[in-house]
Amino acid sequence: MEVKKKNAIDCLINYLHEFIDQRNWHSAHVSFKIKNSSCWTAQHYLIFDNEKISEGGFSNSDDSMFSGMDAATFLCQQHELHSNVAVNYVHFTLHPDGYHELRFDDAKPVAPDAPPQDASGGLSIAQQLATFEEAAATILSPLETWLKQYLPEVADSLQPGATARQLQNYANKLGVVLPQDFVHLYHWHNGQKGKAAGLFYGMHLMSLKASLAACEQERRYWQTYCDAESREKYPDHASSTPSGHIRVQYCNPYWLPFAHDHAGNYLGIDLSPDSQGTAGQVINFGRYEDHKKVLANSLGDFLHWLAAQWQAGNTSVRREADGGRSFNTRWPDKRHFLDSVKLMFLHDGSTLAPQQGESAPQNEAGYLESGQVLRNRMAHMAADELGLTAQSRWQLNIQTGTVTFTTAQGKLLHCQAQILGRYHPAQGQLHWAWDQSEWPLDMLCAARALQDEGTRHTWPRFTTPRVACSEAEAWNLVAAACHGDDVEGLFRATDGDSVLYLGYLTQY
């Protein structure tokens, strides 16, 4: 342990020497703000003759900071291990004579906004398990039967179910009362093993142990990051729909994950809902999930929805380069379920029921109809999540392949851009972007994907360079691009006497 600690300090010393080497310096100082193991910032100061001459900021995008950050993280972990107090900052100062100082700023615990709610119906875990066989026959066993027929490797990856004692220990450690459908799910199977595709459209069922570890990490994040200043900024970095159902927060200690993508993003149950929400509702959250949605009022409702989607044929199983198989939605044709969620779960405020029984379109008419559905959904999504409306200003940069939107509130949105087509009202024609030489090839991926889809199914309106149609029909044609992964949203941009249809991705 002491050897590792010494190596960490040596690493920080070497890191600072990179900045002060061959300078007539007095001392150097580096401060790391620790958010979690993969989210941090750092500030360094170079001090000459007791006067600060230079300062600069770095983030985890700077390769030069990795070794210093690794060392700082290790030292913080050791400090927390011995003091049982989480850390916000670690400060390291190096003096000319080689003497160094190490100081930690302990984080002050922040209490959650509200205690967890009891969604158990007043039943103990033993009482909940008394109805397990009935629940299994209704939904869990049919799910497993489908998996054995179509994805046997996923069925084989499911672990044996958790015992009542394991479930109670999990609840006790988190200080919560578990809802019955959560208990039933984990008594059915306690997670997945191996490299098979995830049960939930590629997202893996987590074991209780993995879920507990993720909860503890979220709680540590809450303690160390959620100071008063940061919490005031939450509304700028988090949003949710429907309004009033999920607390507008980046993280919450009572969001319990049951599925993950191995990249810090989760499906989970919410035991601390907002005023209009339901304890036990299923939501998305995690590293890249700033916008949360209610996917179902309960885990049981979500599992019923999942079974309905599978039975309706809304599944896509692909053979990957490594020989394994991926499992995704067929409609929308996305490679990550949380990308599909954005289109599959939109709420008009009058109901929390997700869209039911929607399967992939089988013909050109169906594809166009689905384009209209996508267009309407994405308009709501853009307005709810991004503040993006038809009145938003736009600026395209073909050198970088990006578009910058300015909302009515003055917010700037920098997105990766795809050019789908241009509509000419005077001619009543949609001119597909793949037939236009002015655009770089990497901005035509979505348009070419539609052309390929049209070629595969012999759909002439997707393969004819210029299509005679109304603007409403043109909208539906280009909106079909949102079935794929290259486009997350659509924008109708007035460009002179024509209309340019842009697809965008907000994360790139």
Side-chain angles (χ1 to χ4, degrees):
M1 189 69 68
E2 289 302 320
V3 173
K4 289 184 179 179
K5 183 174 181 179
K6 184 177 185 300
N7 288 343
I9 293 175
D10 288 343
C11 183
L12 283 174
I13 292 173
N14 291 335
Y15 167 71
L16 287 179
H17 272 300
E18 293 180 12
F19 293 99
I20 61 181
D21 191 31
Q22 297 181 352
R23 292 176 181 244
N24 183 22
W25 55 276
H26 179 266
S27 63
H29 176 84
V30 61
S31 295
F32 294 87
K33 182 172 184 179
I34 309 298
K35 296 181 180 179
N36 59 32
S37 60
S38 59
C39 185
W40 55 274
T41 58
Q43 186 79 20
H44 81 268
Y45 303 98
L46 302 185
I47 303 173
F48 300 84
D49 297 326
N50 292 320
E51 180 180 358
K52 188 194 305 180
I53 300 297
S54 172
E55 64 178 295
F58 296 82
S59 69
N60 56 353
S61 63
D62 293 274
D63 293 340
S64 63
M65 295 296 294
F66 287 159
S67 60
M69 179 57 195
D70 290 342
T73 300
F74 173 78
L75 291 169
C76 285
Q77 290 171 346
Q78 299 307 305
H79 176 75
E80 292 176 358
L81 180 66
H82 294 293
S83 65
N84 199 30
V85 177
V87 172
N88 257 354
Y89 281 90
V90 55
H91 305 278
F92 187 82
T93 303
L94 179 63
H95 296 279
D97 59 3
Y99 173 72
H100 62 264
E101 295 177 276
L102 182 66
R103 181 171 61 85
F104 300 95
D105 283 352
D106 295 337
K108 296 180 179 179
V110 178
D113 287 331
Q117 297 182 21
D118 184 348
S120 68
L123 300 176
S124 68
I125 287 179
Q127 291 171 321
Q128 292 173 350
L129 289 178
T131 59
F132 171 75
E133 295 300 332
E134 178 182 349
T138 302
I139 186 61
L140 299 174
S141 294
L143 286 174
E144 190 153 6
T145 298
W146 188 94
L147 288 172
K148 288 179 178 178
Q149 181 176 356
Y150 297 103
L151 283 169
E153 67 271 28
V154 176
D156 292 341
S157 74
L158 295 172
Q159 303 258 50
T163 65
R165 182 176 181 178
Q166 288 174 317
L167 286 159
Q168 191 63 62
N169 288 340
Y170 173 87
N172 291 344
K173 289 180 179 179
L174 294 176
V176 300
V177 179
L178 298 175
Q180 188 172 41
D181 42 21
F182 187 92
V183 170
H184 286 169
L185 174 65
Y186 275 94
H187 191 58
W188 176 55
H189 288 294
N190 186 10
Q192 287 182 254
K193 61 182 179 181
K195 297 182 179 181
L199 170 65
F200 300 101
Y201 282 125
M203 297 188 71
H204 283 80
L205 174 64
M206 303 172 73
S207 66
L208 288 176
K209 181 179 180 180
S211 177
L212 178 62
C215 286
E216 290 175 342
Q217 179 177 338
E218 289 292 308
R219 291 185 176 196
R220 180 185 173 197
Y221 187 83
W222 182 276
Q223 295 285 335
T224 59
Y225 180 64
C226 300
D227 50 55
E229 179 183 355
S230 297
R231 294 177 73 190
E232 288 177 359
K233 298 178 182 178
Y234 271 177
D236 294 332
H237 301 285
S239 56
S240 65
T241 52
S243 177
H245 289 80
I246 308 172
R247 295 185 184 277
V248 183
Q249 298 168 331
Y250 180 73
C251 61
N252 186 294
Y254 300 119
W255 294 343
L256 312 187
F258 62 83
H260 69 150
D261 64 353
H262 298 279
N265 304 295
Y266 305 101
L267 297 174
I269 59 171
D270 177 7
L271 296 184
S272 182
D274 210 348
S275 58
Q276 299 179 51
T278 303
Q281 62 192 10
V282 175
I283 66 171
N284 60 303
F285 64 98
R287 180 178 297 171
Y288 301 119
E289 296 301 296
D290 289 349
H291 187 80
K292 282 77 175 175
K293 293 178 179 289
V294 176
L295 278 59
N297 283 336
S298 68
L299 182 53
D301 286 350
F302 178 73
L303 294 174
H304 278 284
W305 172 85
L306 187 70
Q309 294 294 311
W310 292 3
Q311 294 300 325
N314 191 12
T315 59
S316 174
V317 180
R318 297 180 176 94
R319 181 69 65 181
E320 300 296 333
D322 62 0
R325 297 200 293 175
S326 61
F327 181 35
N328 307 99
T329 55
R330 189 177 179 191
W331 186 91
D333 185 16
K334 302 291 187 182
R335 300 303 293 265
H336 197 302
F337 181 52
L338 293 179
D339 291 331
S340 296
V341 159
K342 295 177 181 180
L343 295 174
M344 298 178 81
F345 296 92
L346 290 179
H347 311 287
D348 60 7
S350 62
T351 177
L352 281 177
Q355 303 295 325
Q356 297 282 344
E358 295 174 313
S359 58
Q362 303 298 317
N363 50 47
E364 186 180 27
Y367 216 63
L368 286 173
E369 183 179 354
S370 72
Q372 183 176 5
V373 172
L374 285 169
R375 189 187 78 195
N376 292 335
R377 292 187 179 189
M378 293 172 65
H380 288 291
M381 181 179 73
D384 290 345
E385 299 183 18
L386 306 176
L388 193 60
T389 65
Q391 289 71 42
S392 300
R393 300 193 302 274
W394 61 281
Q395 184 174 3
L396 192 65
N397 187 329
I398 62 174
Q399 281 72 38
T400 60
T402 59
V403 58
T404 300
F405 298 109
T406 306
T407 69
Q409 295 74 32
K411 181 180 179 181
L412 295 179
L413 303 171
H414 303 287
C415 306
Q416 184 175 345
Q418 288 287 301
I419 311 299
L420 301 172
R422 187 184 292 276
Y423 186 75
H424 299 276
Q427 291 82 29
Q429 285 186 343
L430 169 67
H431 188 191
W432 284 109
W434 47 261
D435 187 54
Q436 301 174 31
S437 60
E438 61 186 292
W439 308 113
L441 290 178
D442 59 359
M443 297 182 73
L444 299 176
C445 297
R448 289 183 177 277
L450 281 179
Q451 182 188 24
D452 292 342
E453 190 75 10
T455 301
R456 184 161 51 250
H457 297 288
T458 319
W459 294 343
R461 279 182 286 187
F462 290 97
T463 57
T464 303
R466 295 177 181 268
V467 181
C469 60
S470 67
E471 188 183 349
E473 290 172 323
W475 249 122
N476 294 344
L477 283 165
V478 299
C482 297
H483 285 300
D485 286 322
D486 296 308
V487 170
E488 177 184 304
L490 289 178
F491 189 78
R492 177 189 181 276
T494 301
D495 189 25
D497 58 358
S498 65
V499 174
L500 185 64
Y501 295 114
L502 301 173
Y504 62 84
L505 280 171
T506 56
Q507 295 176 354
Y508 67 94

